[in-house]
């Protein structure tokens, strides 16, 4: 038995379906999915639907814009959640035994300078997905990559484009993939 906050951290750091299911078992599976759906609506996530708590079902759907809204909400209202993912490691304490276990982030940008936090995701249907927040000067940059064969490379290209370090390379990459560069990135002011 673990604290709910620790299970949330494990879900975010290691994409643990077991941690998500443990929360659902304690909260009630349908009740938790309903609560997730209600929160999404409250945040203005109009194009997001949840079918299960793990994210495995193909019926779980969202958009880059909706995920940016969620990331912005976490950044503004629950920064500790993002800090855990940026730092890259949390310690779980089993409440009955006191036994501790470290869980390390699988996010490719964890522990890197300027990285504020994020979340990974992958299913065969959705392919690679990655939400990443970066601090660049006085700006916060939200990068959301969906359906990628190489989410780390795509995030790096978007980051470089947004920060101006490799815009020509990014433009060529978008053209090769048939994606207009203006549709491929979103940076908040």
């Amino acid at each position: 038995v673990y604290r709910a906050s620790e299970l949330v951290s494990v879900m975010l750091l290691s994409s643990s379906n077991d941690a998500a299911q443990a929360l659902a078992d304690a909260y009630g599976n349908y009740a938790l999915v309903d609560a997730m759906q209600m929160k999404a609506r409250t945040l203005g996530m109009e194009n997001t639907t949840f079918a299960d708590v793990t994210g495995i079902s193909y019926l779980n759907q969202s958009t880059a814009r909706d995920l940016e809204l969620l990331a912005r909400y976490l950044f503004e209202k629950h920064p500790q959640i993002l800090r855990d993912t940026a730092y890259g490691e949390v310690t779980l304490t089993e409440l009955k035994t006191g036994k501790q276990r470290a869980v390390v982030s699988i996010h490719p940008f964890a522990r890197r300078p300027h990285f504020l936090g994020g979340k990974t995701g992958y299913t065969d249907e959705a392919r690679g997905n990655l939400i990443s927040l970066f601090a660049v000067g006085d700006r916060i940059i939200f990068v959301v990559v969906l359906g990628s064969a190489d989410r780390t490379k795509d995030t790096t290209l978007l980051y470089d484009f947004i920060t101006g370090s490799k815009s020509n390379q990014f433009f060529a990459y978008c053209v090769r993939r048939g994606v207009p560069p203006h549709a491929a990135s979103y940076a908040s002011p």
Side-chain angles (χ1 to χ4, degrees):
V1 178
Y2 299 94
R3 288 184 178 84
S5 61
E6 291 180 345
L7 291 174
V8 169
S9 291
V10 171
M11 287 169 30
L12 293 172
L13 266 69
S14 65
S15 281
S16 172
N17 295 329
D18 292 338
Q21 193 57 56
L23 279 175
D25 291 345
Y27 195 84
N29 200 56
Y30 295 115
L32 186 53
V33 170
D34 287 345
M36 291 164 54
Q37 197 66 49
M38 286 176 38
K39 189 59 167 183
R41 292 296 166 260
T42 301
L43 297 177
M45 298 170 67
E46 302 288 327
N47 298 300
T48 297
T49 57
F50 298 106
D52 68 39
V53 298
T54 64
I56 295 295
S57 171
Y58 71 91
L59 297 173
N60 293 302
Q61 298 285 316
S62 195
T63 64
R65 177 68 177 146
D66 280 4
L67 294 172
E68 186 266 337
L69 288 171
L70 177 59
R72 184 179 299 278
Y73 167 76
L74 292 174
F75 176 75
E76 293 172 354
K77 304 293 184 187
H78 301 282
Q80 181 56 45
I81 292 173
L82 287 177
R83 274 195 298 274
D84 287 348
T85 65
Y87 176 68
E89 184 175 317
V90 294
T91 301
L92 285 175
T93 303
E94 208 285 323
L95 295 176
K96 290 182 181 178
T97 65
K99 184 177 178 181
Q100 293 188 324
R101 184 178 121 210
V103 177
V104 178
S105 177
I106 62 171
H107 196 291
F109 297 99
R111 295 172 298 283
R112 290 192 188 179
H114 312 292
F115 180 64
L116 299 176
K119 172 74 176 83
T120 66
Y122 182 88
T123 64
D124 289 339
E125 293 87 1
R127 299 177 60 195
N129 303 295
L130 194 61
I131 301 169
S132 306
L133 283 75
F134 301 95
V136 179
D138 60 351
R139 295 187 309 160
I140 304 302
I141 298 173
F142 297 83
V143 178
V144 178
V145 172
L146 302 175
S148 175
D150 189 340
R151 61 192 177 193
T152 303
K153 178 181 177 182
D154 290 344
T155 298
T156 300
L157 286 168
L158 285 165
Y159 176 88
D160 289 346
F161 175 73
I162 293 165
T163 61
S165 52
K166 294 185 182 175
S167 59
N168 289 337
Q169 178 184 353
F170 175 75
F171 180 77
Y173 179 76
C174 287
V175 170
R176 280 195 308 275
R177 293 197 53 186
V179 177
H182 66 278
S185 66
Y186 175 82
S188 66

